[in-house]
Amino acid sequence: MLRDDASLWWDGAAHVVDLAPRTWDRFKELFYVKYFPADVRGLLTREFMSLRQGDLTLAEFIRKFDRGCHFVPLIDRYAAKKLRYFMDGLRPTLRRDVMLMRPVSYDKATACAFQAVQVLRDIDFVVQRRGQQTQSSSQPQKKQFTGNVSEA
């Protein structure tokens, strides 16, 4: 569903451009020529090829990865390459955890990554709770003063 400028462009393109082969690939070709000139596509391709998760959340990384795949059809079309580039872009600790689950596809790898993130959150929560418990048990218990001189 096209909106705003893209809808106007498509209405005009339908009258001017030969749309005889009405395929998705033909539409994308025309759309990219209009909205993503070659230099912009080149820049987006380079950004994608160097994409790393870094400080991005997993959801942000996946969003950028999916967007970048549109501009690198050699990766998007080959499942093994797409999986490898995704895995290579993950943070090392997350990559290790996902690799242990042995995903066989990009979709499976993203699901495994979300599972791994949840496990890491659970571990952090437990460690923080233990730290709080250790901290409170290592502090000497103070007696409350009730006003009785013999307790002081």
Side-chain angles (χ1 to χ4, degrees), residues 30-48:
L30 294 171
F31 185 82
Y32 286 164
V33 165
K34 172 68 177 173
Y35 288 100
F36 298 97
D39 59 332
V40 173
R41 285 192 309 266
L43 174 66
L44 292 170
T45 298
R46 286 189 300 280
E47 285 178 8
F48 174 77

Side-chain angles (χ1 to χ4, degrees), residues 10-19:
W10 182 246
D11 289 342
H15 298 294
V16 178
V17 178
D18 177 26
L19 299 173

Side-chain angles (χ1 to χ4, degrees), residues 86-134:
F86 175 72
M87 296 294 290
D88 288 347
L90 291 173
R91 269 188 228 117
T93 53
L94 186 54
R95 182 180 333 128
R96 177 204 61 214
D97 293 347
V98 174
M99 287 177 71
L100 289 172
M101 293 184 230
R102 299 188 186 276
V104 294
S105 69
Y106 168 70
D107 291 336
K108 181 68 175 163
T110 57
C112 291
F114 279 114
Q115 283 180 320
V117 165
Q118 186 58 51
V119 169
L120 290 171
R121 284 185 186 140
D122 293 346
I123 290 170
D124 284 345
F125 178 76
V126 169
V127 168
Q128 286 177 355
R129 296 273 298 186
R130 283 191 182 152
Q132 289 171 352
Q133 289 172 351
T134 304

